[in-house]
Amino acid sequence: MKKVVVLGTGTMALGIAAGFISSGYGVILLGRNDERAKSAVPEIMVLAKGLSSGLISTDQIQTGAIEDWSDWSDVALVLETVTENLALKQTIFASLDRRVPIHIPIGSNSSGFPISQISQSLKTAQRMFNMHYFMPAHIVPLVEVVLGKASDPSMAKKVCELFEETGKKPVLVNQDIPGFLANRIQHALMREALALVNDGIATPEDVDTAVRYSFGFRYAAVGPMTQKEISGWEGMAIAAKEIYPSLSNNTEISPCLNKILKEKKFGIKSKEGFRKWSDEEASEMKRKYEKRLKAAFDVLQIEPD
């Protein structure tokens, strides 16, 4: 059985581990200590069983401590998911650089720190990449495989093939620019959405409705580039001449977002963001969110690319 080593025991790690287990891989989950890693196994198995109608078993998962693990037999990939702390990640990667056999690719799930920084000056930086999942990691198909300055493109393609084997949809990002690929597009949308809310042009609820029931609805079928291939680029260009000059080009956080952040309104986790959330409403929204994501995944399987 092929194995994947996952470093970390947070939400992303659990979803990533569940995805590999449901695809028939073995997982070695490494935490600060073995007890912490073992405590995460029940939740991983629940997530994995929700993804697979086949037989899966706790025999597919091993646990241990990050600093102590030394068995790399049958390991196809090592993936770090620890907290977003650059110094910590650099320390872990320096250790992996020495301990993990040279033929095994090593990735970081970091969305904030480029692999060029994490692997700076390491001897085996050519086998190191960002491997960026999106939450919830066990459902969202995309994984961004990002090349750093020293990364080997041929090994990156093999990593993409591994993710494809597990049912994920990898994209290869040729430079580790801030935000990589998907988050850059997402933040461009969020900048404009927040500007519209800030200027009183639309409510947060109407922004959601506009996105979900127009182009967001279409994007489950095809991406933005193909959609314009279908509708015609000339129409898009004519509209762009009118729209582009008035689009937000803010380089700082929108005032309306800054206001709620200063008030420690972070969304569901603090029971209030742009709106208030009761425990019941929060639980129900999370249930709907996951159910809708699973339905959207089914849509993506219709007439696959």
Side-chain angles (χ1 to χ4, degrees), residues 14-216:
L14 273 55
I16 291 168
F20 279 109
I21 288 172
S22 70
S23 300
Y25 274 68
V27 167
I28 301 167
L29 185 74
L30 304 181
R32 295 176 188 172
N33 52 62
D34 188 38
E35 292 73 21
R36 190 177 180 89
K38 275 186 169 64
S39 70
V41 171
E43 186 173 348
I44 290 172
M45 298 310 295
V46 168
L47 295 175
K49 288 174 182 177
L51 295 172
S52 175
S53 57
L55 292 175
I56 59 174
S57 166
T58 51
D59 292 341
Q60 288 176 253
I61 189 163
Q62 299 169 262
T63 62
I66 292 173
E67 287 302 316
D68 297 337
W69 193 262
S70 60
D71 182 3
W72 309 103
S73 57
D74 300 318
V75 169
L77 185 73
V78 175
L79 181 52
E80 168 271 313
T81 72
V82 303
T83 187
E84 287 288 88
N85 179 302
L86 179 59
L88 174 61
K89 291 177 184 290
Q90 288 175 327
T91 298
I92 289 173
F93 266 72
S95 176
L96 296 174
D97 181 51
R98 298 188 299 270
R99 293 158 53 203
V100 179
I102 186 69
H103 67 281
I104 300 174
I106 303 173
S108 173
N109 184 54
S110 176
S111 60
F113 301 117
I115 195 65
S116 296
Q117 274 188 284
I118 296 171
S119 64
Q120 191 172 12
S121 303
L122 297 182
K123 290 182 179 179
T124 66
Q126 75 279 359
R127 46 85 174 256
M128 298 177 181
F129 312 89
N130 282 100
M131 299 179 194
H132 182 226
Y133 280 72
F134 291 79
M135 190 178 293
H138 62 296
I139 298 176
V140 179
L142 185 69
V143 182
E144 296 175 312
V145 178
V146 188
L147 299 175
K149 293 177 182 177
S151 302
D152 178 0
S154 62
M155 182 174 278
K157 290 179 181 178
K158 291 180 181 178
V159 171
C160 288
E161 290 170 3
L162 184 153
F163 283 124
E164 287 174 347
E165 287 177 7
T166 68
K168 288 296 185 182
K169 201 72 175 176
V171 291
L172 186 60
V173 184
N174 292 314
Q175 294 182 36
D176 56 357
I177 58 175
F180 311 142
L181 178 58
N183 268 337
R184 290 183 72 89
I185 299 168
Q186 180 175 238
H187 275 267
L189 183 150
M190 283 306 306
R191 177 167 66 177
E192 184 61 29
L194 287 165
L196 291 168
V197 171
N198 188 75
D199 294 345
I201 293 167
T203 65
E205 293 78 14
D206 282 342
V207 168
D208 278 354
T209 299
V211 172
R212 288 184 64 207
Y213 292 96
S214 61
F215 60 86

